[in-house]
Amino acid sequence: MDVLAAHREKWREVPGGDDTDGRRYSSDLLKLPDAELLSFWDGMAANRASGVIGWIGPLYRDFVKGRRVLELGSGLGLDGLRFASQGAQWTFADIASDNLAMIERIAALKGLKVTTHLIGPDLSFDKLDSQFDAVLACGSVHHVPFDVARQECLNVLKKLKLGGRWLELVYPKERWEKAGSPSFEQWAKMTDGDRTPWAEWYDADKVRARLAPARLRTILDFGFASDNYRWLDFEYVAAA
């Protein structure tokens, strides 16, 4: 059984850069000629860099340079390809194969060397032979139920070096409460459209519970954009 089947169908539909942009299907984008595709992707990337989450670029540029980073739920690679162009060694992991095909094509057009990993029904990352310096989950893991996310993240944690960083963008509890504390199935449709199966709030304690028994030291923990988002940055201190 593929616990991610409904999520795979949804998340080949990707945001256009910022949360105010429209959404497109990666399967449709792949049909574009190279020049048109690259122009469209560059426009999305520019929107991303100047949008609500654009600050992660200057904040983490120097940190990720020369380091191995695994990105969970990479979408069209708007963050990772920028960091890869600045010297990071980036691995993109996603549940939608067309998203990864898009990333591979854009990387080739830009002359960038990257690695991709399709997250399968077993949620395994054993095929990745690298140990990573950081894991980035930018608004992705909160779109599956906690138990599924925990299994996936514990598998990922096996690939993170001690002393490495876990970076995550989440929807906070404050946003869920402002929406009237609906079921996570209902809330998903409110945050990301009618085709969205799940959206779950997180805070630092809930992420710690998801990664337990790992010990994490908080580097950053703050809400932004009127508490629509929360940024969490942890150092992976010990396995237990």
Side-chain angles (χ1 to χ4, degrees), residues 44-240:
M44 289 192 297
N47 289 346
R48 179 74 163 186
S50 63
V52 68
I53 192 63
W55 48 265
I56 71 168
L59 181 60
Y60 288 98
R61 178 183 57 238
D62 293 339
F63 169 72
V64 300
K65 186 175 182 179
R67 289 188 167 94
R68 291 190 175 98
V69 181
L70 172 62
E71 183 176 359
L72 295 180
S74 48
L76 297 188
L78 300 176
D79 298 313
L81 285 171
R82 173 176 50 176
F83 286 126
S85 72
Q86 296 167 343
Q89 300 174 50
W90 214 267
T91 296
F92 298 89
D94 203 272
I95 63 174
S97 58
D98 284 345
N99 292 353
L100 297 176
M102 271 280 295
I103 288 170
E104 291 168 355
R105 190 168 160 198
I106 295 296
L109 290 170
K110 289 181 172 291
L112 298 173
K113 183 179 179 181
V114 300
T115 303
T116 59
H117 173 76
L118 180 64
I119 303 170
D122 61 357
L123 306 177
S124 172
F125 292 80
D126 290 344
K127 291 182 180 179
L128 298 177
D129 56 8
S130 296
Q131 285 290 304
F132 293 92
D133 300 293
V135 172
L136 171 66
C138 203
S140 56
V141 180
H142 60 216
H143 280 299
V144 296
F146 183 90
D147 289 346
V148 177
R150 175 166 165 78
Q151 181 183 349
E152 178 184 22
C153 290
L154 290 180
N155 288 341
V156 171
L157 206 58
K158 298 173 186 176
K159 295 294 181 177
L160 182 61
K161 296 177 182 177
L162 286 178
R165 300 276 278 278
W166 187 280
L167 313 172
E168 187 164 351
L169 176 74
V170 301
Y171 293 166
K173 189 175 184 179
E174 293 88 344
R175 180 172 178 175
W176 176 71
E177 290 175 334
K178 284 189 294 185
S181 305
S183 71
F184 293 147
E185 293 93 340
Q186 292 174 317
W187 195 40
K189 293 169 175 52
M190 297 166 69
T191 60
D192 290 86
D194 288 342
R195 298 177 64 254
T196 314
W198 194 268
E200 185 165 344
W201 66 263
Y202 276 91
D203 58 15
D205 287 342
K206 197 169 177 180
V207 172
R208 289 176 185 278
R210 193 218 290 147
L211 295 173
R215 287 175 50 205
L216 306 171
R217 182 174 71 89
T218 301
I219 305 294
L220 291 172
D221 176 359
F222 63 89
F224 63 100
S226 301
D227 280 329
N228 280 331
Y229 305 100
R230 190 160 202 88
W231 183 255
L232 300 167
D233 180 343
F234 298 106
E235 180 186 6
Y236 179 31
V237 177

Side-chain angles (χ1 to χ4, degrees), residues 6-73:
H7 305 276
R8 294 184 200 283
E9 169 56 25
K10 161 63 182 180
W11 291 112
R12 63 188 183 88
E13 173 191 317
V14 289
D18 196 11
D19 61 357
T20 59
D21 298 317
R23 293 173 181 263
R24 299 284 296 270
Y25 290 100
S26 50
S27 52
D28 292 337
L29 293 172
L30 283 168
K31 298 173 185 176
L32 297 175
D34 284 352
E36 188 176 346
L37 177 65
L38 188 58
S39 176
F40 182 81
W41 188 93
D42 283 341
M44 289 192 297
N47 289 346
R48 179 74 163 186
S50 63
V52 68
I53 192 63
W55 48 265
I56 71 168
L59 181 60
Y60 288 98
R61 178 183 57 238
D62 293 339
F63 169 72
V64 300
K65 186 175 182 179
R67 289 188 167 94
R68 291 190 175 98
V69 181
L70 172 62
E71 183 176 359
L72 295 180

